[in-house]
Amino acid sequence: MLNKIKIIIDRILFPRHRKIWHIYTGIAGLLIFPVIFMSTLSLYNTYRTATKFALSENKSEAYLVASILKERLDMLVEFGKSVAQRPNLIGPLEEGKWDEAIKAIASVPVDFEYVDRVLLVDKQGVIRAQSPDQPNYVGLRRSDIDWYRGVSKEWKTFVSQVYSDPVIPERNIIAIAVPIKIYGLTGDESNIYRYAINSDKVVGILLLHVSVKTFADLAREETAVDPGEFIYIIDNIGNLVVHPKFQDMGGVINYKDAPAVQKLLAGVRGSEINYNPIEKERRVVAFERVKNYGWGVVVVKPYDLAFAQRSQNLKNASFFHLIMLMLSVLAAMLILFILTERRRIDALKDDFISTVSHEIRNPLFAIRESISQVTEGIRGPITKEQNDFLEIALTSIDRLSRIINDLLDVAKMDAGKLRLNFKWCNVVGIARQSMAVFSSQARVKGIEIKERFPNEELHIFIDEERIIQVLFNLIGNALKFTQSGFIEVAIIDKSDVVECSVADTGIGISKERLADIFSKSSRYTSTSRSRGKGTGLGLVITKEIITMHGGNILVESAENKGSKVTFILPKYSPQEAATRFLDNMIPSGGRKKSLVMIFYDIENMGILKSKFGNEKIISIKQKMEKFINLYIRRVAGDIELTGTQAFLVLLPSLDTAHASLTVNRIGGSINEYLTEEGLLSEVKLNTSIITYPQVRNKNKDLFAKLVNHIVECKMR
Amino acid sequence: MAKKILIADDDPSLVEVLTSRLRQHNYEVICAFDAMQVMTMAMSRRPDLIILDIKMPAGTGRGALENLKNSSTTFTIPVIVITAYPNEEVRGFAVKNGVVDFIEKPFQVEVLLNSIERVFRKEEGGNI
């Protein structure tokens, strides 16, 4: 199971002959992108939370000051009310004795530090008495001032806006106007605490002048203020009650143009970041309304101060995320490095195999050639015994060549350069032929090779040589690992596939080995089973060949009972087969993705036959075929297909320019021959260079002709 | 008169067996074992055909081929390339430099003999 996962991962990470950079970049991206994403998200969150926190911190400061202020104002109002209810004040007032009344409350400005002065005003707004008596306001009519209007509206206590003392203008004061009422008992007479208010019974107004300075100092003392931060208070029309920067200037300053004040006057409370164009700095402004009085508190903090904590948080978070990002980049780089390194080593290994194999061929050729020159007697006569020994050497060389071919097959497979030469073949005949090779060997071992074949021939579209190679591998393996019993080769004709199997009664395959018997990982490992004569590559090549046929291979085995290898080959329609054949010939790897072909078509075949006779034409054709054969059979992959009236040469390793060179070469030889025979003017030979798959769309007639030709050739 | 063939390969045993084969077919054979020798032999002995081994893509055989085709005294001599590395790059290089044939190792001796025969037939007035 683990092995299978490993193989799947291997296939994804190390696909054969494919550009894999996009996969690797993708992996790196998958690693790095989420980290970047998460970091950004988390940083943004930190930023937002810290901002919110800083703003709300300011807001709560403003709220605190506003609450204190409200408490103070409430206190003042309550105090005013209590003074207005003194019986020794009400008593004289009922009789209109203002001077006597004022005496009853004259001690108030002395006893309470923030009350500057008490005044008694009649219902019409005329000041009738005051204490202390300097500066003197007695006799002044104040019926148009805001506190009179406020208090006379419903005869309720009213706190005035800030105004300067009419006598001493640099003093800013607020006035608290309390109606002085006579309370009568009503309703339940037994409960004397239950009073009813009768506004008709207002006998005067008590006015308390409270110095703003005193008042403000009181409010400020209650709040701890950071350096650089300041608090100002406005009244209900936007006049400054107190502002640390305008403390001793006197006169009323209207501040309603400040953005925070405007919002306050509109009834909004909150916290925001403002830019002060005069001092050219950003600051955080929190503003809060003082309930019931219409006043407002504004807390102003320099931006840097307000967000000091946020900056610290962000710095810490950024550092953390930077480290995370660096780690993930490092991890991605490491993985990329490992992947490319492994790929490089793989490539190196494949290169190594291919180089060594090719280099071995040189001396091998020299050895074989020298020996055959001796056996042929070119170097003088040799004895029969000497000849026999040299024959053994030749056989061994041939076996060595086969091993090298196996190695090269695998190298080609890995490079995607293994190509099949599809043909219509009788698979039953191929199987019989393959079995025959092993018959004497089997007889020596005392093992019977049985066959279970359909009665008639079975033609399918396969690479004959490669399928023989497969059967050799399978039967050879079966024979190698079977000491007694039999081997059965079976072919079953199913409707759309052909099922071939080789079964034996040998030692079988262990379960562990069965799992990866066809895989790359088991390729170069040597186990007790594969330590035979071969390279152990046979099954890997077998699997690849079957896969390239569009087929499937599977193994069943029970240890010490035997094994059965089954491969399934698909059946194709002739046209399907022809296209498949062409597809298979398209070179893979490299930039070129098309197949170059040369198509020779003897257009007047029919006329020629009637003119010169069948035999003569066939011999001419055979001769031409020989020329083509001679030229192209020396490069791997080049294939020539001869039909009744046409030849097709497939040149997967050439491009169009080089193909025209080949055309000239072959054409030269053919012309030469036809001239010799005196037929140059008779034979109408049409030569075209075709590129597949482009031809499929460009020239449909030619393509159809081509497919028919392939079908004809391959069907024979 | 026997045709003169220059075999150039750095594998002496291969040169040896090929020489023996070609002499058997009544060709006069001379040998070169490196790029320098190929040039000097080609210029001094004026062979009728050169059989040149091209090795690895960066090997000396390529330099030799370029030199042969760039020199006014040798560019007319036909060259058959044999190589153990028949990839497209090498093939393209050979074709570009106007070789008459390109043979992949290992090859059947008959293929080489055919190729040689064809070159000489053409020279004797065959059209191409």
Side-chain angles (χ1 to χ4, degrees):
Chain A
M1 188 62 199
L2 212 67
N3 245 323
K4 267 193 181 155
I5 294 169
K6 222 180 102 199
I7 292 165
I8 290 168
I9 292 174
D10 254 27
R11 279 220 188 115
I12 297 168
L13 293 183
F14 307 103
R16 281 186 205 153
H17 49 81
R18 226 197 308 152
K19 292 254 161 81
I20 43 134
W21 276 109
H22 54 279
I23 297 178
Y24 288 178
T25 318
I27 290 170
L30 276 179
L31 267 169
I32 296 171
F33 180 74
V35 176
I36 291 178
F37 182 74
M38 292 301 288
S39 290
T40 316
L41 203 71
S42 154
L43 273 179
Y44 176 67
N45 258 340
T46 310
Y47 174 84
R48 248 181 41 169
T49 321
T51 307
K52 231 167 147 181
F53 179 75
L55 289 177
S56 74
E57 196 184 33
N58 255 29
K59 221 158 89 181
S60 54
E61 219 166 279
Y63 179 77
L64 183 68
V65 176
S67 306
I68 292 168
L69 203 61
K70 179 176 181 294
E71 216 172 87
R72 292 281 158 183
L73 287 168
D74 281 352
M75 214 180 71
L76 277 173
V77 168
E78 285 309 311
F79 174 70
K81 277 181 182 168
S82 73
V83 171
Q85 279 167 19
R86 287 183 181 180
N88 53 355
L89 173 70
I90 300 169
L93 280 187
E94 265 183 302
E95 297 158 23
K97 295 172 181 164
W98 298 97
D99 290 338
E100 204 175 313
I102 197 78
K103 276 177 195 148
I105 54 168
S107 62
V108 170
V110 184
D111 293 347
F112 298 91
E113 50 169 332
Y114 41 83
V115 178
D116 271 8
R117 182 181 299 119
V118 289
L119 301 104
L120 289 172
V121 185
D122 64 19
K123 275 179 77 175
Q124 283 70 45
V126 180
I127 297 168
R128 305 298 288 260
Q130 70 174 73
S131 174
D133 48 9
Q134 285 304 322
N136 195 359
Y137 301 120
V138 175
L140 284 174
R141 174 174 282 271
R142 276 284 178 261
S143 56
D144 57 342
I145 209 157
D146 72 318
W147 57 257
Y148 178 76
R149 271 178 291 158
V151 77
S152 63
K153 208 172 182 180
E154 287 179 33
W155 296 113
K156 277 185 180 169
T157 309
F158 184 81
V159 178
S160 79
Q161 64 191 57
V162 177
Y163 58 94
S164 44
D165 193 314
V167 183
I168 315 162
E170 49 277 7
R171 281 173 65 85
N172 283 354
I173 55 172
I174 57 169
I176 295 166
V178 189
I180 305 167
K181 296 171 185 171
I182 298 167
Y183 297 98
L185 289 172
T186 176
D188 183 4
E189 286 184 15
S190 63
N191 188 348
I192 63 160
Y193 296 106
R194 185 171 284 177
Y195 297 116
I197 296 162
N198 188 338
S199 60
D200 289 340
K201 291 269 182 78
V202 171
V203 287
I205 300 161
L206 170 70
L207 198 65
L208 302 173
H209 274 185
V210 178
S211 154
V212 157
K213 190 169 170 352
T214 325
F215 186 76
D217 286 346
L218 267 170
R220 260 213 305 274
E221 271 165 28
E222 297 273 341
T223 349
V225 176
D226 287 330
E229 172 186 354
F230 64 91
I231 298 169
Y232 65 86
I233 300 163
I234 53 147
D235 66 11
N236 53 349
I237 59 162
N239 286 343
L240 273 182
V241 175
V242 58
H243 192 299
K245 297 195 176 164
F246 307 116
Q247 213 159 342
D248 298 314
M249 282 168 71
V252 175
I253 297 164
N254 193 296
Y255 223 59
K256 69 175 182 232
D257 290 337
V261 176
Q262 276 178 357
K263 288 208 173 111
L264 270 175
L265 292 177
V268 182
R269 41 197 280 260
S271 183
E272 60 183 29
I273 298 160
N274 276 347
Y275 181 71
N276 183 333
I278 300 163
E279 297 186 14
K280 292 194 173 152
E281 65 165 7
R282 277 200 302 171
R283 39 208 206 173
V284 178
V285 179
F287 38 94
E288 181 68 52
R289 289 175 68 80
V290 180
K291 269 185 206 149
N292 299 345
Y293 297 97
W295 286 23
V297 174
V298 181
V299 177
V300 181
K301 254 191 197 182
Y303 186 86
D304 296 342
L305 184 72
F307 288 119
Q309 188 59 40
R310 184 184 74 176
S311 313
Q312 191 56 42
N313 285 354
L314 278 179
K315 223 182 263 170
N316 292 347
S318 317
F319 185 66
F320 171 73
H321 289 302
L322 197 72
I323 285 181
M324 286 293 290
L325 193 68
M326 273 163 67
L327 280 177
S328 73
V329 167
L330 226 86
M333 274 167 64
L334 192 72
I335 289 173
L336 280 188
F337 175 75
I338 291 168
L339 290 181
T340 41
E341 189 58 17
R342 229 193 101 176
R343 222 181 135 71
R344 202 179 64 85
I345 289 169
D346 268 8
L348 216 65
K349 187 196 68 200
D350 290 346
D351 241 31
F352 174 75
I353 291 172
S354 133
T355 308
V356 167
S357 309
H358 281 112
E359 284 305 315
I360 288 172
R361 285 175 172 209
N362 244 354
L364 218 54
F365 171 78
I367 296 169
R368 203 184 192 291
E369 185 55 23
S370 344
I371 294 175
S372 24
Q373 282 182 29
V374 174
T375 53
E376 279 169 37
I378 299 168
R379 298 279 149 191
I382 53 168
T383 65
K384 164 104 180 32
E385 202 177 338
Q386 284 168 338
N387 191 59
D388 285 352
F389 264 83
L390 290 176
E391 286 298 338
I392 291 172
L394 283 179
T395 320
S396 297
I397 288 166
D398 287 345
R399 215 175 77 210
L400 188 55
S401 300
R402 272 204 301 280
I403 292 170
I404 290 168
N405 282 340
D406 264 10
L407 272 172
L408 276 177
D409 274 352
V410 171
K412 265 187 201 164
M413 243 165 64
D414 281 357
K417 282 177 183 158
L418 192 68
R419 216 159 271 130
L420 298 185
N421 180 17
F422 282 105
K423 250 190 295 194
W424 289 100
C425 307
N426 174 18
V427 70
V428 175
I430 290 173
R432 282 221 174 83
Q433 196 186 324
S434 308
M435 281 163 58
V437 175
F438 291 95
S439 61
S440 61
Q441 212 180 324
R443 212 175 304 121
V444 171
K445 263 186 130 178
I447 293 164
E448 186 193 353
I449 303 184
K450 297 187 200 171
E451 58 165 62
R452 188 151 57 86
F453 296 157
N455 290 330
E456 62 269 24
E457 291 190 348
L458 184 53
H459 286 268
I460 52 175
F461 194 67
I462 49 173
D463 182 332
E464 185 178 9
E465 269 175 51
R466 291 294 182 184
I467 293 298
I468 289 176
Q469 191 182 349
V470 165
L471 285 164
F472 268 30
N473 262 325
L474 297 183
I475 299 173
N477 270 346
L479 199 58
K480 199 170 5 170
F481 298 112
T482 307
Q483 301 311 323
S484 62
F486 62 89
I487 292 167
E488 186 188 65
V489 182
I491 294 173
I492 303 165
D493 184 8
K494 299 202 167 165
S495 59
D496 51 353
V497 291
V498 174
E499 201 179 282
C500 314
S501 62
V502 177
D504 63 47
T505 54
I507 60 171
I509 306 159
S510 68
K511 264 192 178 161
E512 307 91 68
R513 186 151 159 67
L514 203 57
D516 63 347
I517 195 160
F518 296 121
S519 82
K520 209 175 167 181
S521 55
S522 72
R523 232 168 51 175
Y524 302 109
T525 57
S526 157
T527 64
S528 57
R529 219 196 120 108
S530 66
R531 204 179 291 143
K533 278 179 180 172
T535 47
L537 296 172
L539 281 179
V540 182
I541 299 168
T542 296
K543 161 105 176 163
E544 181 72 11
I545 291 170
I546 298 300
T547 309
M548 285 180 78
H549 274 83
N552 205 358
I553 187 163
L554 38 118
V555 196
E556 301 152 72
S557 182
E559 231 167 323
N560 296 322
K561 282 185 183 162
S563 318
K564 184 181 178 190
V565 183
T566 310
F567 61 92
I568 295 159
L569 295 169
K571 289 178 174 175
Y572 295 112
S573 80
Q575 273 71 20
E576 249 172 25
T579 317
R580 190 174 174 80
F581 166 77
L582 288 175
D583 284 340
N584 185 263
M585 293 292 291
I586 294 177
S588 59
R591 263 160 290 144
K592 202 155 67 77
K593 284 277 178 275
S594 54
L595 168 66
V596 176
M597 295 173 265
I598 307 168
F599 191 44
Y600 293 96
D601 189 14
I602 306 171
E603 283 184 345
N604 55 349
M605 196 66 184
I607 303 165
L608 287 178
K609 268 185 186 165
S610 55
K611 193 167 174 184
F612 297 99
N614 227 353
E615 257 171 56
K616 167 98 174 153
I617 293 305
I618 285 172
S619 89
I620 290 172
K621 233 189 89 254
Q622 274 169 354
K623 191 84 185 176
M624 286 164 75
E625 190 183 326
K626 206 178 141 199
F627 281 120
I628 293 169
N629 210 8
L630 205 63
Y631 269 99
I632 60 145
R633 261 299 152 87
R634 61 192 65 114
V635 177
D638 290 358
I639 285 180
E640 174 243 347
L641 296 174
T642 314
T644 45
Q645 72 163 46
F647 309 94
L648 177 66
V649 185
L650 299 104
L651 304 157
S653 50
L654 280 194
D655 58 29
T656 338
H658 294 153
S660 57
L661 262 162
T662 312
V663 167
N664 286 342
R665 274 194 338 206
I666 299 176
S669 290
I670 292 177
N671 283 351
E672 196 180 313
Y673 163 72
L674 290 177
T675 318
E676 247 172 58
E677 296 280 321
L679 291 168
L680 193 57
S681 53
E682 302 283 350
V683 178
K684 274 192 187 158
L685 188 65
N686 200 357
T687 311
S688 33
I689 295 173
I690 301 171
T691 53
Y692 177 85
Q694 285 85 340
V695 67
R696 202 155 28 177
N697 301 322
K698 274 188 193 159
N699 193 339
K700 292 215 162 85
D701 292 343
L702 189 61
F703 182 60
K705 219 170 179 180
L706 191 74
V707 168
N708 284 337
H709 175 73
I710 293 168
V711 170
E712 183 209 322
C713 295
K714 294 284 173 180
M715 286 293 276
R716 280 189 304 161
Chain B
M1 196 186 117
K3 292 283 183 188
K4 202 189 291 169
I5 298 176
L6 170 60
I7 299 178
D9 196 315
D10 61 356
D11 184 348
S13 28
L14 193 120
V15 172
E16 182 71 27
V17 291
L18 276 182
T19 308
S20 144
R21 257 301 173 210
L22 293 179
R23 289 211 175 116
Q24 188 202 344
H25 283 80
N26 301 321
Y27 292 117
E28 188 189 335
V29 183
I30 49 177
C31 312
F33 298 97
D34 61 46
M36 203 53 218
Q37 250 181 326
V38 174
M39 255 341 257
T40 47
M41 293 282 241
M43 284 171 140
S44 58
R45 305 283 296 274
R46 308 303 308 268
D48 299 296
L49 174 68
I50 298 171
I51 296 170
L52 182 68
D53 175 52
I54 288 188
K55 285 217 149 185
M56 299 290 283
T60 49
R62 316 177 112 220
L65 180 56
E66 275 176 333
N67 285 342
L68 285 172
K69 288 300 168 186
N70 288 336
S71 159
S72 58
T73 46
T74 54
F75 82 96
T76 49
I77 305 172
V79 177
I80 292 175
V81 160
I82 50 176
T83 184
Y85 297 91
N87 62 36
E88 283 169 41
E89 204 269 321
V90 173
R91 181 192 289 264
F93 175 80
V95 172
K96 208 169 67 200
N97 281 289
V99 303
V100 293
D101 214 339
F102 184 92
I103 297 173
E104 180 192 355
K105 283 185 193 172
F107 51 87
Q108 305 271 309
V109 185
E110 290 74 29
V111 171
L112 181 63
L113 290 172
N114 269 331
S115 182
I116 293 169
E117 216 174 294
R118 206 161 49 237
V119 170
F120 291 143
R121 256 214 324 259
K122 269 172 207 159
E123 284 199 338
E124 282 162 3
N127 60 337
I128 186 162

